[in-house]
């Protein structure tokens, strides 16, 4: 089995989000970048398949040279090889087209991507990719077992979960549940050393169009002061929620 | 050149988000000088959509769609878009819609803007405002190309009532080979509980509640309010509550009218996922807890005293207003 794990390079979850002075771009000044958390769960599931089922695991990122430290981290966690598509990831459709080319030329059976990137919250690349390639697709995937060419996947739905039967070739949009938080691995020294020797191939971008363009950005209005209610007078809270906030 | 709206059903009835996307689609169509056409699958009665400004409904009857199938829904929307010459397809932010919409976008080579919070800034070009960076910012996104998909954020636009009744016409899509290759074999859904995504009110507990045995009062509060229950990430990681209740940046997003946080400190990743809620109440015994900076109402106090008291007061309130 050949697995491709799609990794997006995103601001650390603790980042303060600012935009450039003219509000046309995300200001990356002082921001730390990490493997998108949803992708980290997928990568860890792929590691299990490598160890238990002998799968080959490659990772791919569409991005400029600046994403390479994040890709090296994925190699240090245990991926065998990395591919970087040399292009600025401008929108979902564009990124999916780039990934489609990588999947086709690499002959992957299973593509593990994340439910969404925590930066632009698109939640679209894996589904678009599946549609472009005519592959099966399971989104918000919280469990995945592959046996030969058949697969069983569990998907989170509103208010519960659903078990699906499908087959390879398959794309998933994964999240926590694929593996547990405690299964995530911090790269050790040996992994980091080995990652330096591993192959990181840079491929040029394919011709592709964009479906969307983020023109400007703005930030939420600053929050007013919290209204404190005395714990000895909880009736007041009920009153406020009813009369002032009108939510009960 | 119409606007196509995917109005979701469950067991033959429309979901609440169907009224929201119908309202959005109708208002959008008005702004674009065209009509909104809804697509409904296995709906017992499509006429109520008229109340939200929809004049025409394409009604699909398909036994294989008794349980949701994303690829089939994407395919039927693609065919409906071709049939009506739709420029824009409007969908909700439900798990099902977020499953089907990217498949549709890939097939149509259309731009897709999810998490849209209001009507477009402009229709020519088509520019929408959507949340990005887990509610820490908004982007004004231009939808380029011939076709576009708009995903409307839960609870952001609301319902707009209009005059009129919808007329339904049968629509029979053709499904290619492999459409149903991925299929649901079992669904595990608590029918006695309100899903976080659909809830007007969410009651959420954190590590401050000390252990799973203390969730009785959280559930009781939720019951009195008709609310869904949720929790912070460590609470689900420790197995005190199921993962499906984990809310925040790496869990489920919450965009309810009222969010009540009990014993939750208000870490940046937690707030990122719940900030879209309209009114936030925090109950915490530490006045320095960061959540107080993000909340509308706060009680500095011990949850084990405040919550039971709140339940009593709410019961009184309900009795008086019944
Ligand atoms: C990559 C990453 C992603 C993350 N994603 C998420 C996410 O999606 N969602 C999420 O929730 N977290 C997330 N976190 C974790 C987050 O950083 C916090 O650790 C977490 O939100 C804290 O949970 P908590 O508020 O329940 O616990 P704590 O921070 O321990 O807070 C407990 C609170 O309870 C209060 N308290 C204690 N006793 C009482 C009492 N008797 N009465 C009232 N109050 C009391 C305390 O004052 C304290 O404020 C993420 C972290 C990382 C690194
Ligand atoms: N630039 C990228 N390079 C590689 N994979 C990506 C990229 N952007 C998104 N993905 C994958 O698609 C998933 C969903 O991303 P998005 O649709 O951008 O929210 C991510 O979790 C990744 O697995």
């Amino acid at each position: 089995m050949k697995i491709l794990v799609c990794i997006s390079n995103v601001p650390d979850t603790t980042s303060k989000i600012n935009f450039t002075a003219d509000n046309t771009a995300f200001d990356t000044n002082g921001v730390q970048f990490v493997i998108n958390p949803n992708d980290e769960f997928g990568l860890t599931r792929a590691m299990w398949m490598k160890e238990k089922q002998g799968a080959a695991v490659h990772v791919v990122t569409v991005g400029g040279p600046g994403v390479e430290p994040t890709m090296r981290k994925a190699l240090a966690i245990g991926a065998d090889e990395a591919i970087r598509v040399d292009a600025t990831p401008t929108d979902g459709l564009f990124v999916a087209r780039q990934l489609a080319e990588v999947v086709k030329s690499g002959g992957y059976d299973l593509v593990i991507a994340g439910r969404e990137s925590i930066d632009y919250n698109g939640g679209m690349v894996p589904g678009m990719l599946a549609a472009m390639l005519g592959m099966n697709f399971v989104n918000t995937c919280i469990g995945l077992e592959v046996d030969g060419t058949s697969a069983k996947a569990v998907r989170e739905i509103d208010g519960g979960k659903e078990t699906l039967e499908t087959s390879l070739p398959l794309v998933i949009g994964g999240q926590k549940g694929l593996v547990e938080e405690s299964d995530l691995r911090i790269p050790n020294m040996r992994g980091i050393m080995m990652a330096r020797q591993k192959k990181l191939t840079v491929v040029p971008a394919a011709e592709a169009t964009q479906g969307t363009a983020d023109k400007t950005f703005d930030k939420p209005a600053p929050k007013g002061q919290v209204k404190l209610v005395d714990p000895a007078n909880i009736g007041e809270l009920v009153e406020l929620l009813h009369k002032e906030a009108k939510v009960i | 050149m119409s606007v196509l709206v995917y109005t979701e059903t469950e067991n033959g009835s429309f979901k609440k988000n169907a009224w929201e996307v119908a309202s959005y689609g109708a208002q959008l169509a008005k702004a674009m000088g065209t009509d909104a056409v809804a697509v409904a699958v296995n709906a017992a009665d499509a006429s109520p959509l008229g109340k939200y400004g929809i004049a025409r409904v394409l009604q699909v009857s398909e036994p294989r769609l008794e349980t949701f199938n994303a690829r089939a829904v994407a395919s039927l929307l693609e065919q409906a878009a071709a049939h009506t010459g739709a420029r824009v397809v409007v969908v909700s932010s439900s798990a099902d819609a977020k499953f089907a919409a990217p498949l549709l976008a890939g097939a149509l080579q259309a731009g897709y803007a999810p998490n849209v919070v209001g009507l477009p800034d402009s229709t020519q070009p088509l520019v929408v405002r959507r949340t990005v960076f887990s509610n820490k910012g908004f982007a004004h996104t231009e939808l380029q190309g011939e076709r576009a998909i708009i995903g409307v954020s839960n609870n952001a636009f609301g319902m707009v009532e209009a005059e009129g009744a919808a007329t339904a016409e049968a629509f029979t899509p053709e499904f290619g080979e492999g459409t149903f290759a991925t299929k649901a074999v079992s669904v595990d859904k608590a029918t006695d509980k309100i899903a976080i995504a659909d809830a007007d009110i969410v009651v959420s507990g954190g590590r401050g509640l000390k252990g799973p045995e203390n969730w009785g009062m959280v559930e009781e509060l939720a019951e009195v309010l008709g609310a869904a229950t949720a929790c912070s990430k460590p609470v689900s990681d420790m197995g005190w509550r199921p993962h499906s209740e984990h809310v925040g940046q790496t869990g489920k997003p919450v965009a309810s009218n009222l969010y009540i946080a009990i014993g939750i400190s208000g870490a940046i990743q937690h707030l990122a996922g719940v900030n879209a809620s309209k009114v936030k109440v925090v109950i915490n015994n530490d006045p320095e807890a960061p959540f107080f900076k993000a909340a509308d109402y706060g009680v500095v106090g011990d949850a084990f005293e405040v919550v039971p008291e709140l339940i009593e007061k709410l019961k009184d309130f309900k009795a008086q207003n019944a």
Side-chain angles (χ1 to χ4, degrees), chain B residues 184-199:
Chain B
V185 289
S186 68
V187 179
D188 177 2
K189 189 169 168 175
T191 46
D192 57 334
K193 286 203 151 194
I194 299 165
I196 292 170
D198 305 331

Side-chain angles (χ1 to χ4, degrees), chain A residues 6-8 36 39 60-62 89 95 99 113-114 116-117 122-126:
Chain A
C6 304
I7 288 185
S8 60
N36 184 40
D39 303 343
V60 62
T61 302
V62 179
V95 170
L99 295 174
E116 71 169 21
S117 299
M124 62 179 81
V125 167

Side-chain angles (χ1 to χ4, degrees), chain A residues 13 15 119 121 124 136 155 161 163 165-166 176 180-181 211 213-216 218 223 227 229 244, chain B residues 71 96 129 133-134 136 138 140-142 144 182-183 185-186 188 237 243 246 269 296-298:
Chain A
T13 56
S15 305
D119 50 4
N121 310 127
M124 62 179 81
N136 289 322
R155 149 176 109 96
K161 57 189 174 185
T163 305
E165 276 172 8
T166 184
K176 187 175 96 168
E180 297 301 319
E181 183 80 17
D214 293 327
K215 293 294 181 185
T216 56
D218 65 284
K223 189 90 207 159
K227 208 173 247 186
V229 173
E244 190 178 84
Chain B
R71 198 148 151 194
D96 289 352
R129 185 166 181 254
F133 296 98
S134 311
K136 292 182 206 168
F138 296 95
H140 297 262
T141 303
E142 182 178 332
Q144 303 165 326
T182 299
K183 55 173 179 292
V185 289
S186 68
D188 177 2
D237 285 343
H243 283 313
H246 162 195
Q269 300 95 346
D296 302 279
Y297 301 100

